[in-house]
Amino acid sequence: MPNQRSLEQIEIAELIQSADDDRPVTDPFKLPAYLRTLEDTRLTDLKTKDAATLTTEAERAAASRRVRESLDKLKNLLRDGFNHVKGLGSYAISDADRIGVFTAYGWEQGEIGDLTDARTESLANQAITATPGISNPAWRYPAALITLITDELTIVNDNQPAATGGT
């Protein structure tokens, strides 16, 4: 984003150009051609870089927002998965198997705990990885839920470099 210093430098360079334009060719204070060319080139470069900074900041802000929205959606989807396992009737799964499924999905001791951003990403990755390995298909997260988790995780992974100021 343009800062006060870059804007001041642009104003100074434009003032130099304006003052130099008003001077007659015979004026001893008129810039020599090579200095005027250098000044014009550097001003153009500064303006280009200043404008690019706005574009970069806009991309970073948009990517950051996409990551935040996806992480929030992932938290809800992961809770849905947790609730799916928790909602399995006692006739369908034993307590020992339920804790095993919770553990496979990363829910330590069968509790949700704090869903920080890092843990949310970890649990989402674990959901995708662990689901095929759970022996009873009825105990697995539903396929539609895994698809939604995968989609949101892809959005997070695709946007994190730009969101954190990467290239």
Side-chain angles (χ1 to χ4, degrees):
M1 184 171 235
N3 60 39
Q4 188 62 33
R5 186 163 184 212
S6 66
L7 294 175
E8 287 172 359
Q9 294 306 311
I10 289 171
E11 287 178 17
I12 290 169
E14 288 174 342
L15 178 62
I16 290 170
Q17 284 179 331
S18 175
D20 195 56
D21 289 343
D22 292 341
R23 294 184 188 280
V25 177
T26 57
D27 189 328
F29 294 106
K30 184 154 183 79
L31 291 175
Y34 73 94
L35 284 179
R36 178 58 191 253
T37 301
L38 179 63
E39 198 269 345
D40 292 345
T41 302
R42 287 185 176 172
L43 176 59
T44 301
D45 184 53
L46 177 58
K47 285 181 175 180
T48 301
K49 288 177 180 172
D50 198 49
T53 303
L54 281 175
T55 303
T56 302
E57 177 59 20
E59 290 172 7
R60 190 211 55 78
S64 180
R65 181 62 180 207
R66 285 190 288 274
V67 168
R68 175 82 273 135
E69 289 172 354
S70 288
L71 285 170
D72 290 343
K73 288 178 186 175
L74 275 172
K75 288 176 185 179
N76 290 330
L77 294 171
L78 292 168
R79 283 187 185 98
D80 290 343
F82 178 89
N83 290 332
H84 168 76
V85 175
K86 186 129 181 125
L88 294 170
S90 60
Y91 58 87
I93 188 171
S94 70
D95 287 342
D97 287 333
R98 188 185 316 270
I99 199 71
V101 172
F102 276 136
T103 302
Y105 279 122
W107 303 108
E108 297 173 18
Q109 300 175 359
E111 296 178 10
I112 288 182
D114 188 23
L115 289 177
T116 63
D117 291 347
R119 184 160 181 253
T120 298
E121 279 189 75
S122 175
L123 288 170
N125 281 309
Q126 186 65 20
I128 295 165
T129 305
T131 296
I134 295 174
S135 60
N136 187 330
W139 302 346
R140 297 175 186 159
Y141 288 179
L145 180 60
I146 292 298
T147 299
L148 292 170
I149 289 172
T150 302
D151 292 347
E152 293 304 323
L153 193 57
T154 299
I155 292 170
V156 169
N157 291 333
D158 289 350
N159 286 278
Q160 273 182 334
T164 57
T167 56

